[in-house]
Amino acid sequence: MDKPSFIPYKSAQLDKNQMTQHSLDFYQNMNLRRSVRDYSDRDVPKEVIENIIMTASTAPSGAHKQPWTFCAVSNSTIKSEIKKAAEKEEYESYNKRMSEEWLDALKPIGTTWEKPFLEIAPWLIIVFKKAYDLDENNARQKNYYVNESVGIACGFLISAIHQAGLVTLTHTPSPMNFLQKILNRPENERAYLLLPVGYPSEDAQVPNFKRKPAEEVIRWY
Ligand code: IYR
């Protein structure tokens, strides 16, 4: 057992006005984020993708196990392979597996089994959760709150993509075990979320959605 080691922590030390302004600026900026399905093929530097992923990897995690791997794909052969496999699953889902109620709920978003963004966007980030770790002797080491931890990291990832002026979308092909195979990931890694990253196309459109107001999402006690 490692002995705990602590170091001092200092917060940003904002006064009340700065705090109010910063929190409002950040909210207003994040409120501009939208899930985008129409992408340009314009290139995004690898360095930007690395910065975005490393931001995601600052997320808190159960027992600080950081139970995630981010696969960043720009190779067009691999992207095509992913598109083909994802669309195969999505075709089955949209035509057989999803209920009428579910398909109805998706109508305002206009999604179908076809996923052209998987080839067009310059990058795909596939987030894997590590169900457990393997130590140097290949013995299983437990991870904790894996879904919560990886979900939070994905929130950081989406925020970082938006802050870089880029767009993304949380694509959830189901089942998504084909990603473990295509990307040759080890047995302890399970695909969690697939996010295309890039610029929106010139004529990109998003659904005319409103977000719930404070009165609907907050209860003060
Ligand atoms: N996995 C499908 C279906 C889908 C499901 C929900 I819930 C969405 O908000 C959007 C799509 C897909 O990625 O198209």
Side-chain angles (χ1 to χ4, degrees), residues 94-166:
Y94 277 85
N95 288 293
K96 294 182 193 148
R97 294 193 281 240
M98 288 155 80
S99 65
E100 278 306 311
E101 188 183 6
W102 191 353
L103 292 170
D104 266 358
L106 292 183
K107 271 189 189 141
I109 311 178
T111 56
T112 71
W113 62 270
E114 287 175 289
K115 305 296 171 190
F117 55 78
L118 293 174
E119 269 175 351
I120 298 169
W123 291 94
L124 303 179
I125 299 178
I126 298 92
V127 184
F128 285 84
K129 65 177 181 184
K130 289 181 159 181
Y132 51 89
D133 273 329
L134 291 168
D135 70 11
E136 53 282 3
N137 305 317
N138 249 2
R140 285 183 183 209
Q141 303 285 311
K142 227 177 139 19
N143 286 332
Y144 304 91
Y145 298 100
V146 170
N147 283 318
E148 291 84 348
S149 303
V150 181
I152 295 166
C154 287
F156 280 34
L157 184 70
I158 293 164
S159 306
I161 292 166
H162 177 66
Q163 292 299 319
L166 298 169

Coordinates of all heavy atoms in Angstrom, one line a residue, residues 94-166:
Y94 N -32.1 0.5 -36.6 CA -33.2 1.3 -37.1 C -34.3 0.5 -37.7 O -35.5 0.9 -37.7 CB -32.6 2.4 -38.1 CG -32.0 3.6 -37.4 CD1 -30.7 3.6 -37.0 CD2 -32.8 4.7 -37.2 CE1 -30.2 4.7 -36.4 CE2 -32.3 5.8 -36.6 CZ -31.0 5.8 -36.2 OH -30.4 6.9 -35.5
N95 N -34.0 -0.7 -38.3 CA -35.0 -1.4 -39.0 C -35.6 -2.5 -38.2 O -36.7 -3.0 -38.5 CB -34.5 -2.0 -40.3 CG -34.3 -0.9 -41.3 OD1 -35.3 -0.3 -41.8 ND2 -33.0 -0.6 -41.6
K96 N -34.9 -3.0 -37.1 CA -35.4 -4.1 -36.3 C -35.4 -4.0 -34.8 O -36.3 -4.3 -34.1 CB -34.6 -5.4 -36.7 CG -34.8 -5.8 -38.1 CD -34.1 -7.1 -38.5 CE -34.1 -7.3 -40.0 NZ -32.9 -8.0 -40.5
R97 N -34.3 -3.4 -34.3 CA -34.1 -3.4 -32.9 C -34.7 -2.3 -32.1 O -35.1 -2.5 -30.9 CB -32.6 -3.5 -32.6 CG -31.9 -4.8 -33.1 CD -30.5 -4.9 -32.5 NE -29.5 -4.1 -33.2 CZ -28.4 -4.6 -33.8 NH1 -28.2 -5.9 -33.8 NH2 -27.6 -3.8 -34.4
M98 N -34.8 -1.1 -32.7 CA -35.4 0.0 -31.9 C -36.9 0.0 -32.0 O -37.5 -0.3 -33.0 CB -34.8 1.3 -32.5 CG -33.3 1.5 -32.2 SD -32.5 2.6 -33.4 CE -32.9 4.2 -32.8
S99 N -37.5 0.4 -30.8 CA -39.0 0.4 -30.7 C -39.5 1.6 -31.5 O -38.8 2.6 -31.8 CB -39.4 0.5 -29.3 OG -39.0 1.7 -28.7
E100 N -40.8 1.5 -31.8 CA -41.5 2.6 -32.5 C -41.4 3.9 -31.7 O -41.2 5.0 -32.2 CB -43.0 2.3 -32.7 CG -43.2 1.4 -34.0 CD -42.6 2.0 -35.2 OE1 -42.9 3.2 -35.5 OE2 -41.9 1.3 -36.0
E101 N -41.5 3.7 -30.3 CA -41.4 4.9 -29.4 C -40.1 5.5 -29.5 O -40.0 6.8 -29.6 CB -41.7 4.4 -28.0 CG -41.8 5.5 -27.0 CD -42.0 5.1 -25.6 OE1 -42.0 3.8 -25.3 OE2 -42.2 6.0 -24.7
W102 N -39.0 4.7 -29.6 CA -37.7 5.3 -29.7 C -37.5 6.0 -31.0 O -37.0 7.1 -31.1 CB -36.7 4.1 -29.5 CG -35.2 4.5 -29.4 CD1 -34.7 5.8 -29.5 CD2 -34.1 3.7 -29.0 NE1 -33.4 5.8 -29.3 CE2 -33.0 4.5 -29.0 CE3 -34.0 2.3 -28.8 CZ2 -31.7 4.0 -28.7 CZ3 -32.7 1.8 -28.5 CH2 -31.6 2.7 -28.5
L103 N -37.9 5.3 -32.1 CA -37.8 5.9 -33.5 C -38.5 7.3 -33.5 O -38.0 8.2 -34.1 CB -38.3 5.0 -34.5 CG -37.4 3.7 -34.7 CD1 -38.1 2.7 -35.6 CD2 -36.0 4.1 -35.3
D104 N -39.7 7.3 -32.9 CA -40.5 8.6 -32.8 C -39.7 9.6 -32.1 O -39.7 10.8 -32.5 CB -41.8 8.3 -32.1 CG -42.9 8.0 -33.0 OD1 -42.6 8.0 -34.3 OD2 -44.0 7.7 -32.6
A105 N -39.0 9.3 -31.0 CA -38.3 10.2 -30.2 C -37.1 10.8 -31.0 O -36.7 12.0 -30.7 CB -37.8 9.6 -28.9
L106 N -36.6 10.0 -31.9 CA -35.5 10.5 -32.7 C -35.9 11.3 -33.9 O -35.0 12.0 -34.6 CB -34.6 9.3 -33.2 CG -33.9 8.6 -32.1 CD1 -33.0 7.4 -32.7 CD2 -33.0 9.5 -31.2
K107 N -37.2 11.3 -34.3 CA -37.6 12.0 -35.5 C -37.2 13.5 -35.6 O -36.7 13.9 -36.6 CB -39.1 11.8 -35.7 CG -39.5 10.6 -36.5 CD -40.9 10.5 -36.9 CE -41.1 9.1 -37.5 NZ -42.4 8.5 -37.1
P108 N -37.3 14.2 -34.5 CA -36.9 15.7 -34.5 C -35.4 15.8 -34.8 O -35.0 16.9 -35.2 CB -37.3 16.2 -33.1 CG -38.2 15.2 -32.5 CD -37.9 13.9 -33.2
I109 N -34.6 14.8 -34.5 CA -33.2 14.9 -34.7 C -32.8 14.5 -36.2 O -31.8 14.9 -36.7 CB -32.4 14.0 -33.7 CG1 -32.9 14.3 -32.3 CG2 -30.9 14.3 -33.8 CD1 -32.2 13.5 -31.2
G110 N -33.7 13.7 -36.8 CA -33.5 13.3 -38.2 C -32.4 12.3 -38.4 O -31.8 12.2 -39.5
T111 N -32.1 11.5 -37.4 CA -31.0 10.5 -37.6 C -31.5 9.3 -38.4 O -32.7 9.0 -38.4 CB -30.4 10.0 -36.3 OG1 -31.5 9.5 -35.5 CG2 -29.7 11.1 -35.5
T112 N -30.6 8.6 -39.2 CA -30.9 7.4 -39.8 C -29.8 6.4 -39.6 O -28.8 6.8 -38.9 CB -31.1 7.6 -41.4 OG1 -29.8 7.8 -41.9 CG2 -32.0 8.7 -41.7
W113 N -29.9 5.2 -40.2 CA -28.8 4.3 -40.1 C -27.5 4.7 -40.8 O -26.4 4.2 -40.6 CB -29.2 2.9 -40.6 CG -29.6 2.8 -42.0 CD1 -30.8 3.0 -42.6 CD2 -28.7 2.6 -43.1 NE1 -30.7 2.9 -44.0 CE2 -29.4 2.7 -44.3 CE3 -27.3 2.3 -43.2 CZ2 -28.9 2.5 -45.6 CZ3 -26.7 2.1 -44.5 CH2 -27.5 2.2 -45.7
E114 N -27.6 5.7 -41.7 CA -26.5 6.1 -42.5 C -25.6 7.1 -41.7 O -26.1 8.1 -41.1 CB -26.9 6.7 -43.8 CG -27.5 5.7 -44.8 CD -28.0 6.3 -46.0 OE1 -29.1 6.9 -45.9 OE2 -27.4 6.1 -47.1
K115 N -24.3 6.9 -41.7 CA -23.4 7.7 -40.9 C -22.2 8.2 -41.8 O -21.1 7.9 -41.5 CB -22.9 6.8 -39.7 CG -23.9 6.2 -38.9 CD -24.8 7.2 -38.2 CE -26.0 6.6 -37.5 NZ -26.9 7.6 -36.9
P116 N -22.5 9.1 -42.7 CA -21.4 9.6 -43.6 C -20.3 10.3 -42.8 O -19.1 10.3 -43.3 CB -22.1 10.6 -44.6 CG -23.5 10.8 -44.0 CD -23.8 9.7 -43.1
F117 N -20.6 10.9 -41.7 CA -19.6 11.7 -40.9 C -18.5 10.8 -40.5 O -17.4 11.2 -40.2 CB -20.2 12.4 -39.7 CG -21.0 11.5 -38.8 CD1 -20.4 10.7 -37.9 CD2 -22.4 11.5 -38.9 CE1 -21.1 9.8 -37.0 CE2 -23.2 10.7 -38.0 CZ -22.5 9.8 -37.1
L118 N -18.7 9.4 -40.5 CA -17.6 8.6 -40.0 C -16.4 8.5 -41.0 O -15.3 8.2 -40.7 CB -18.1 7.1 -39.8 CG -19.1 7.0 -38.6 CD1 -19.7 5.6 -38.5 CD2 -18.5 7.4 -37.3
E119 N -16.7 8.9 -42.3 CA -15.6 9.0 -43.3 C -15.2 10.4 -43.5 O -14.1 10.7 -43.8 CB -16.1 8.4 -44.6 CG -15.8 6.9 -44.7 CD -16.3 6.3 -46.0 OE1 -17.1 6.9 -46.7 OE2 -16.0 5.1 -46.2
I120 N -16.2 11.4 -43.4 CA -15.9 12.7 -43.8 C -15.1 13.5 -42.7 O -14.1 14.2 -43.1 CB -17.2 13.5 -44.1 CG1 -17.9 12.8 -45.3 CG2 -16.9 15.0 -44.5 CD1 -19.3 13.3 -45.6
A121 N -15.5 13.4 -41.5 CA -14.8 14.1 -40.4 C -13.3 13.7 -40.4 O -13.0 12.5 -40.6 CB -15.4 13.8 -39.1
P122 N -12.4 14.7 -40.2 CA -10.9 14.3 -40.3 C -10.5 13.4 -39.2 O -9.5 12.6 -39.3 CB -10.3 15.7 -40.2 CG -11.2 16.6 -39.5 CD -12.6 16.1 -40.0
W123 N -11.2 13.4 -38.0 CA -10.8 12.5 -36.9 C -12.0 11.8 -36.3 O -13.1 12.4 -36.2 CB -10.2 13.4 -35.8 CG -8.9 13.9 -36.1 CD1 -8.6 15.2 -36.6 CD2 -7.6 13.3 -35.9 NE1 -7.3 15.3 -36.8 CE2 -6.6 14.2 -36.4 CE3 -7.2 12.0 -35.5 CZ2 -5.2 13.9 -36.4 CZ3 -5.8 11.7 -35.5 CH2 -4.9 12.6 -35.9
L124 N -11.8 10.6 -35.9 CA -12.8 9.9 -35.0 C -12.1 9.6 -33.7 O -10.9 9.2 -33.7 CB -13.2 8.6 -35.7 CG -13.8 8.6 -37.1 CD1 -14.2 7.2 -37.5 CD2 -15.1 9.5 -37.1
I125 N -12.7 10.0 -32.6 CA -12.2 9.6 -31.3 C -13.1 8.5 -30.8 O -14.3 8.7 -30.6 CB -12.1 10.8 -30.3 CG1 -11.2 11.9 -30.9 CG2 -11.6 10.3 -29.0 CD1 -11.0 13.1 -30.0
I126 N -12.5 7.3 -30.5 CA -13.3 6.3 -29.9 C -12.8 6.1 -28.5 O -11.6 5.9 -28.2 CB -13.1 4.9 -30.7 CG1 -13.7 5.1 -32.1 CG2 -13.9 3.8 -30.0 CD1 -12.6 5.5 -33.1
V127 N -13.7 6.3 -27.6 CA -13.4 6.2 -26.1 C -13.7 4.8 -25.7 O -14.8 4.3 -25.8 CB -14.3 7.2 -25.3 CG1 -13.8 7.2 -23.9 CG2 -14.2 8.6 -25.9
F128 N -12.6 4.2 -25.0 CA -12.8 2.9 -24.5 C -12.7 3.0 -22.9 O -12.0 3.8 -22.4 CB -11.6 2.0 -24.9 CG -11.8 1.5 -26.3 CD1 -11.4 2.3 -27.4 CD2 -12.4 0.3 -26.6 CE1 -11.5 1.9 -28.7 CE2 -12.5 -0.2 -27.9 CZ -12.1 0.6 -29.0
K129 N -13.6 2.2 -22.3 CA -13.5 2.1 -20.8 C -12.7 0.9 -20.5 O -12.8 -0.1 -21.2 CB -14.9 2.1 -20.2 CG -15.7 0.9 -20.5 CD -17.1 0.9 -19.8 CE -17.9 -0.4 -20.1 NZ -19.2 -0.3 -19.4
K130 N -11.9 1.0 -19.4 CA -11.2 -0.2 -19.0 C -11.9 -0.8 -17.8 O -11.9 -0.3 -16.7 CB -9.8 0.3 -18.5 CG -8.9 0.7 -19.7 CD -7.5 1.1 -19.1 CE -6.5 1.0 -20.2 NZ -5.1 1.4 -19.7
A131 N -12.6 -1.9 -18.2 CA -13.4 -2.6 -17.2 C -12.5 -3.0 -16.0 O -13.0 -3.0 -14.8 CB -14.0 -3.9 -17.8
Y132 N -11.3 -3.4 -16.2 CA -10.3 -3.6 -15.2 C -8.9 -3.3 -15.8 O -8.8 -3.2 -17.0 CB -10.4 -5.1 -14.7 CG -10.3 -6.1 -15.8 CD1 -9.1 -6.6 -16.3 CD2 -11.5 -6.5 -16.4 CE1 -9.1 -7.5 -17.4 CE2 -11.5 -7.4 -17.5 CZ -10.3 -7.9 -18.0 OH -10.2 -8.8 -19.0
D133 N -7.9 -3.2 -14.9 CA -6.5 -3.0 -15.5 C -5.8 -4.4 -15.4 O -6.2 -5.3 -14.7 CB -5.8 -2.0 -14.6 CG -6.0 -0.6 -15.1 OD1 -6.2 -0.4 -16.3 OD2 -6.0 0.3 -14.3
L134 N -4.7 -4.5 -16.2 CA -3.9 -5.6 -16.1 C -2.5 -5.2 -15.7 O -1.9 -4.2 -16.2 CB -3.7 -6.3 -17.5 CG -5.0 -6.9 -18.0 CD1 -4.9 -7.3 -19.5 CD2 -5.4 -8.2 -17.2
D135 N -2.0 -5.8 -14.6 CA -0.6 -5.3 -14.1 C 0.5 -6.0 -14.9 O 0.2 -6.8 -15.9 CB -0.5 -5.5 -12.6 CG -0.4 -7.0 -12.2 OD1 -0.3 -7.8 -13.1 OD2 -0.5 -7.3 -11.0
E136 N 1.7 -5.8 -14.5 CA 2.8 -6.3 -15.3 C 2.9 -7.9 -15.4 O 3.4 -8.5 -16.3 CB 4.2 -5.8 -14.8 CG 4.5 -5.9 -13.3 CD 3.8 -4.9 -12.4 OE1 3.0 -4.1 -12.9 OE2 4.1 -4.9 -11.2
N137 N 2.2 -8.5 -14.4 CA 2.1 -10.0 -14.4 C 0.8 -10.5 -15.1 O 0.4 -11.6 -14.9 CB 2.1 -10.6 -13.0 CG 3.4 -10.1 -12.3 OD1 4.5 -10.1 -12.9 ND2 3.2 -9.7 -11.0
N138 N 0.1 -9.5 -15.7 CA -1.2 -9.8 -16.4 C -2.3 -10.2 -15.4 O -3.3 -10.8 -15.8 CB -1.1 -10.9 -17.4 CG -1.2 -10.4 -18.8 OD1 -1.4 -9.2 -19.0 ND2 -1.2 -11.2 -19.8
A139 N -2.1 -9.8 -14.1 CA -3.2 -10.0 -13.1 C -4.2 -8.9 -13.2 O -3.8 -7.7 -13.4 CB -2.5 -10.1 -11.7
R140 N -5.4 -9.2 -12.9 CA -6.5 -8.2 -13.0 C -6.5 -7.3 -11.8 O -6.4 -7.8 -10.7 CB -7.9 -8.9 -13.0 CG -8.2 -9.5 -14.4 CD -9.6 -10.1 -14.4 NE -9.8 -10.8 -15.6 CZ -11.0 -10.9 -16.2 NH1 -12.1 -10.4 -15.6 NH2 -11.2 -11.5 -17.3
Q141 N -6.5 -6.0 -12.1 CA -6.6 -5.0 -11.0 C -8.0 -4.3 -11.1 O -8.3 -3.8 -12.2 CB -5.5 -3.9 -11.2 CG -4.1 -4.5 -11.2 CD -3.7 -4.9 -9.8 OE1 -3.8 -4.1 -8.8 NE2 -3.2 -6.1 -9.6
K142 N -8.7 -4.2 -10.0 CA -10.1 -3.6 -10.1 C -10.1 -2.1 -10.4 O -9.2 -1.4 -9.9 CB -10.7 -3.9 -8.8 CG -12.2 -4.4 -8.9 CD -12.8 -4.7 -7.6 CE -14.3 -4.3 -7.5 NZ -15.0 -4.1 -8.8
N143 N -11.0 -1.7 -11.2 CA -11.3 -0.3 -11.4 C -12.7 0.0 -10.7 O -13.4 -0.9 -10.5 CB -11.3 0.1 -12.9 CG -9.9 0.2 -13.4 OD1 -9.0 0.4 -12.7 ND2 -9.7 -0.1 -14.7
Y144 N -12.9 1.3 -10.4 CA -14.1 1.6 -9.7 C -14.9 2.7 -10.4 O -14.3 3.6 -11.0 CB -13.7 2.1 -8.3 CG -12.9 1.1 -7.5 CD1 -11.5 1.2 -7.6 CD2 -13.5 0.1 -6.8 CE1 -10.7 0.2 -7.0 CE2 -12.7 -0.9 -6.2 CZ -11.3 -0.8 -6.3 OH -10.5 -1.8 -5.7
Y145 N -16.2 2.6 -10.3 CA -17.1 3.6 -10.9 C -16.6 3.9 -12.4 O -16.5 5.1 -12.8 CB -17.1 4.9 -10.1 CG -17.7 4.7 -8.7 CD1 -16.9 4.6 -7.6 CD2 -19.1 4.6 -8.5 CE1 -17.4 4.3 -6.3 CE2 -19.6 4.3 -7.3 CZ -18.8 4.2 -6.2 OH -19.3 4.0 -5.0
V146 N -16.4 2.9 -13.1 CA -15.9 3.0 -14.5 C -16.8 3.8 -15.4 O -16.4 4.7 -16.1 CB -15.6 1.6 -15.1 CG1 -15.2 1.7 -16.5 CG2 -14.4 1.0 -14.3
N147 N -18.1 3.5 -15.4 CA -19.0 4.2 -16.3 C -19.1 5.7 -15.9 O -19.1 6.5 -16.8 CB -20.4 3.6 -16.2 CG -20.5 2.3 -17.0 OD1 -19.9 2.2 -18.1 ND2 -21.1 1.3 -16.5
E148 N -19.2 6.0 -14.6 CA -19.3 7.4 -14.2 C -18.0 8.1 -14.6 O -18.1 9.2 -15.1 CB -19.4 7.4 -12.6 CG -20.8 7.0 -12.1 CD -20.9 5.5 -11.9 OE1 -20.0 4.7 -12.4 OE2 -21.8 5.0 -11.3
S149 N -16.8 7.5 -14.3 CA -15.6 8.1 -14.6 C -15.4 8.4 -16.1 O -15.1 9.5 -16.5 CB -14.4 7.2 -14.2 OG -14.5 6.9 -12.8
V150 N -15.7 7.4 -16.9 CA -15.6 7.6 -18.4 C -16.6 8.6 -18.9 O -16.3 9.4 -19.8 CB -15.6 6.2 -19.1 CG1 -15.4 6.4 -20.6 CG2 -14.5 5.3 -18.6
G151 N -17.8 8.5 -18.3 CA -18.9 9.5 -18.7 C -18.4 10.9 -18.5 O -18.6 11.8 -19.3
I152 N -17.8 11.2 -17.3 CA -17.3 12.5 -17.0 C -16.2 12.9 -17.9 O -16.2 14.0 -18.4 CB -16.8 12.6 -15.5 CG1 -18.0 12.3 -14.5 CG2 -16.2 13.9 -15.2 CD1 -17.6 12.0 -13.1
A153 N -15.3 12.0 -18.2 CA -14.2 12.3 -19.2 C -14.8 12.6 -20.5 O -14.2 13.5 -21.2 CB -13.2 11.1 -19.3
C154 N -15.8 12.0 -20.9 CA -16.4 12.3 -22.2 C -17.0 13.7 -22.2 O -17.0 14.4 -23.2 CB -17.5 11.3 -22.6 SG -16.8 9.7 -23.1
G155 N -17.6 14.1 -21.1 CA -18.1 15.5 -20.9 C -17.0 16.5 -21.1 O -17.1 17.5 -21.7
F156 N -15.8 16.2 -20.4 CA -14.7 17.1 -20.6 C -14.2 17.1 -22.1 O -13.9 18.2 -22.6 CB -13.5 16.6 -19.7 CG -13.6 16.9 -18.3 CD1 -14.8 17.0 -17.6 CD2 -12.4 17.2 -17.6 CE1 -14.8 17.4 -16.2 CE2 -12.4 17.5 -16.2 CZ -13.6 17.6 -15.6
L157 N -14.2 15.9 -22.7 CA -13.8 15.8 -24.1 C -14.7 16.7 -25.0 O -14.2 17.5 -25.8 CB -13.9 14.4 -24.5 CG -13.4 14.0 -25.9 CD1 -11.9 14.1 -26.0 CD2 -13.8 12.6 -26.3
I158 N -16.0 16.6 -24.8 CA -17.0 17.4 -25.6 C -16.8 18.9 -25.4 O -16.8 19.7 -26.3 CB -18.4 16.9 -25.3 CG1 -18.6 15.5 -25.8 CG2 -19.4 17.8 -26.0 CD1 -19.8 14.8 -25.2
S159 N -16.5 19.2 -24.1 CA -16.3 20.7 -23.8 C -15.0 21.2 -24.5 O -15.0 22.3 -25.0 CB -16.2 20.9 -22.3 OG -17.3 20.3 -21.7
A160 N -14.0 20.3 -24.4 CA -12.7 20.7 -25.0 C -12.8 20.9 -26.5 O -12.2 21.8 -27.1 CB -11.6 19.7 -24.7
I161 N -13.6 20.0 -27.2 CA -13.8 20.1 -28.6 C -14.5 21.4 -29.0 O -14.1 22.2 -29.9 CB -14.6 18.9 -29.1 CG1 -13.8 17.6 -29.0 CG2 -15.1 19.1 -30.6 CD1 -14.5 16.3 -29.1
H162 N -15.5 21.8 -28.2 CA -16.2 23.0 -28.4 C -15.3 24.2 -28.1 O -15.3 25.2 -28.9 CB -17.4 23.0 -27.4 CG -18.2 24.3 -27.5 ND1 -18.9 24.7 -28.7 CD2 -18.4 25.3 -26.6 CE1 -19.5 25.9 -28.5 NE2 -19.2 26.3 -27.2
Q163 N -14.5 24.2 -27.1 CA -13.6 25.3 -26.8 C -12.6 25.5 -27.9 O -12.1 26.6 -28.0 CB -12.9 25.1 -25.4 CG -13.8 25.1 -24.2 CD -14.6 26.5 -24.1 OE1 -14.0 27.5 -24.3 NE2 -15.8 26.4 -23.7
A164 N -12.2 24.5 -28.6 CA -11.3 24.6 -29.7 C -12.0 25.1 -31.0 O -11.3 25.3 -32.0 CB -10.6 23.2 -30.0
G165 N -13.3 25.4 -30.9 CA -14.0 25.9 -32.1 C -14.4 24.8 -33.1 O -14.7 25.0 -34.2
L166 N -14.3 23.5 -32.6 CA -14.7 22.4 -33.5 C -16.0 21.8 -33.0 O -16.6 22.3 -32.0 CB -13.6 21.3 -33.4 CG -12.2 21.8 -33.8 CD1 -11.1 20.8 -33.5 CD2 -12.2 22.1 -35.4

